[in-house]
Amino acid sequence: MIFNIITLFPEFFKGFIENTIISRAVRKGIVGINLINCRDFTEDRYKSCDDYTYGGGAGMILRAGPLAGALDSIQVKGNKIIYPTPSGRLYTQERAKEYSKEECIVIICGRYEGIDQRIVDLYSPDEISIGDYIISGGEPAACVIMDSIIRLLKGVIKEESLREESFNNGLLEYPQYTRPEIFKGLRVPAVLLSGHHENIRKWRLKKSIEKTIMMRPDLLDQVIDDSEVSSEIKEIVNNIIEEGEENGFNKSN
Ligand code: ADE
């Protein structure tokens, strides 16, 4: 898979590419990353890529000309184009899975207050938000998106790890422990040392459900609505909710 990253700050990506799973994927030839500096597509001697917005406002936005020049230089027709922006659709694992099927992805990194709308109108990128908060540029968002896609590609991380993630039924991860058995007086739960696989599975499932109820009740609602979900999960959820209600706790707390 090829990533073409259009950015004002190619240097930003160096550490990310060299120090993460990405470097392994690049070395193995699974992924290629082209960094395209949109300053190379300016016409003025100051190589300016940003300007004030028509109608007034505090921030500067990226001009259409250099961005279009960068996009046209890589023949983007038919390639998936992603524009990370806080005004986009929320990024999800499902979308990462869809993107992992593409052969070539272009990511436009906006800076300052965004980009000229005509780039969106002309090139129809997927406008993607990585969360309901503002970061000051598209580069960190591009790294998040790339990482989430690349780790799904065959040969990048252990198939087993991906399988475990996808078997989580939309629940959050259960707590995990490694050596030593006792740390600052806290013991690893006995069930995990028992070697009893079925009990370990049940314990992990219950912990996953408890964690999801505490941290992301919105996800739990989706899990319960999902008819594919096993009756085992539904039963545990109901038990936890009943126990909680007896103790004066309810799901929205
Ligand atoms: N650029 C600034 N904030 C962003 C966000 N939350 N998601 C994607 N791109 C952004």
Side-chain angles (χ1 to χ4, degrees):
M1 173 184 274
I2 301 290
F3 285 91
N4 289 306
I5 313 295
I6 298 175
T7 172
L8 275 175
F9 304 99
E11 292 296 314
F12 177 93
F13 292 90
K14 293 275 156 69
F16 171 69
I17 293 170
E18 281 161 21
N19 297 313
T20 61
I21 55 156
I22 314 299
S23 63
R24 202 172 352 133
V26 171
R27 256 186 285 121
K28 284 184 168 179
I30 300 169
V31 163
I33 300 178
N34 299 320
L35 298 170
I36 297 149
N37 190 337
C38 56
R39 278 188 216 287
D40 295 341
F41 300 89
T42 51
E43 312 86 35
D44 63 313
R45 64 194 175 102
Y46 302 106
K47 295 186 176 295
S48 66
C49 287
D50 54 329
D51 209 338
Y52 293 102
T53 53
Y54 281 118
M60 310 266 270
I61 61 167
L62 291 193
R63 293 165 47 228
L67 285 176
L71 285 162
D72 294 343
S73 78
I74 45 174
Q75 295 176 340
V76 292
K77 267 215 174 74
N79 292 336
K80 176 60 76 186
I81 309 177
I82 302 172
Y83 165 43
T85 163
S87 320
R89 293 211 167 82
L90 207 56
Y91 192 53
T92 60
Q93 185 67 16
E94 277 316 301
R95 202 173 270 267
K97 279 185 202 155
E98 276 171 34
Y99 287 156
S100 70
K101 294 175 197 145
E102 299 284 340
E103 270 175 26
C104 180
I105 290 182
V106 179
I107 305 185
I108 304 170
C109 299
R111 203 64 192 170
Y112 312 118
E113 303 295 316
I115 65 174
D116 191 303
Q117 176 61 28
R118 286 164 292 186
I119 292 297
V120 176
D121 298 341
L122 287 168
Y123 294 88
S124 311
D126 285 0
E127 296 175 79
I128 297 293
S129 167
I130 58 161
D132 290 334
Y133 46 80
I134 311 285
I135 52 176
S136 44
E139 282 78 6
C143 291
V144 168
I145 293 169
M146 274 197 286
D147 189 304
S148 63
I149 296 170
I150 291 172
R151 62 192 298 286
L152 295 177
L153 301 178
K154 209 172 162 44
V156 176
I157 63 171
K158 280 196 206 128
E159 300 262 331
E160 195 190 345
S161 309
L162 292 180
R163 221 177 310 125
E164 273 177 18
E165 281 171 22
S166 65
F167 279 150
N168 259 356
N169 296 301
L171 297 167
L172 300 184
E173 185 85 83
Y174 46 78
Q176 308 218 60
Y177 301 84
T178 184
R179 285 185 291 186
E181 248 178 74
I182 306 175
F183 180 70
K184 297 201 179 200
L186 297 180
R187 281 184 172 281
V188 174
V191 63
L192 298 179
L193 308 173
S194 68
H196 193 301
H197 296 304
E198 180 56 11
N199 286 353
I200 293 173
R201 188 193 67 78
K202 281 189 181 151
W203 182 88
R204 286 180 165 166
L205 182 58
K206 181 158 187 253
K207 290 290 168 190
S208 274
I209 293 169
E210 284 173 356
K211 180 105 187 173
T212 311
I213 291 175
M214 289 299 290
M215 300 291 177
R216 293 289 305 275
D218 56 313
L219 289 182
L220 192 75
D221 290 340
Q222 283 171 33
V223 172
I224 293 172
D225 287 346
D226 181 352
S227 56
E228 300 274 294
V229 144
S230 72
S231 52
E232 186 184 14
I233 295 184
K234 284 186 187 160
E235 199 184 314
I236 297 173
V237 170
N238 289 336
N239 287 345
I240 293 172
I241 292 172
E242 274 167 26
E243 279 167 25
E245 278 168 358
E246 279 161 21
N247 298 324
F249 170 86
N250 75 48
K251 196 152 68 75
S252 55
N253 283 355

